[in-house]
Amino acid sequence: MDLSFLKILSYYNLRKNSPQLDSTYLRLMADIKQSLGHLHKNKKSQFMRQLKDKKKGSI
């Protein structure tokens, strides 16, 4: 699961994706983190927003 998260994170950050694919990657990463127990259900949207903001800042 950890390796899947890292692979999706690299796809999300390193490739030029459509907005739909970006949101799919964000959802997948949040689901993986939640299933691993690293993310509480209530913090899922906050985690997704943080990743989105980091990507915007790096462009």
Side-chain angles (χ1 to χ4, degrees):
M1 292 290 274
D2 287 330
L3 291 175
S4 297
F5 178 82
L6 290 174
K7 189 170 187 173
I8 294 169
L9 181 65
S10 68
Y11 286 163
Y12 176 73
N13 284 320
L14 299 176
R15 294 183 179 192
K16 184 72 174 166
N17 303 314
S18 67
Q20 295 84 9
L21 190 56
D22 274 350
S23 66
T24 301
Y25 286 153
L26 284 171
R27 246 182 286 115
L28 283 171
M29 288 186 287
D31 289 342
I32 290 172
K33 278 286 200 188
Q34 186 179 352
S35 69
L36 289 172
H38 297 164
L39 183 65
H40 193 269
K41 193 175 193 177
N42 297 337
K43 302 286 184 176
K44 190 173 178 178
S45 62
Q46 181 182 5
F47 173 75
M48 291 168 62
R49 199 173 320 111
Q50 287 174 345
L51 286 175
K52 198 174 195 179
D53 291 344
K54 283 181 185 178
K55 185 174 181 179
K56 267 187 193 174
S58 67
I59 293 177

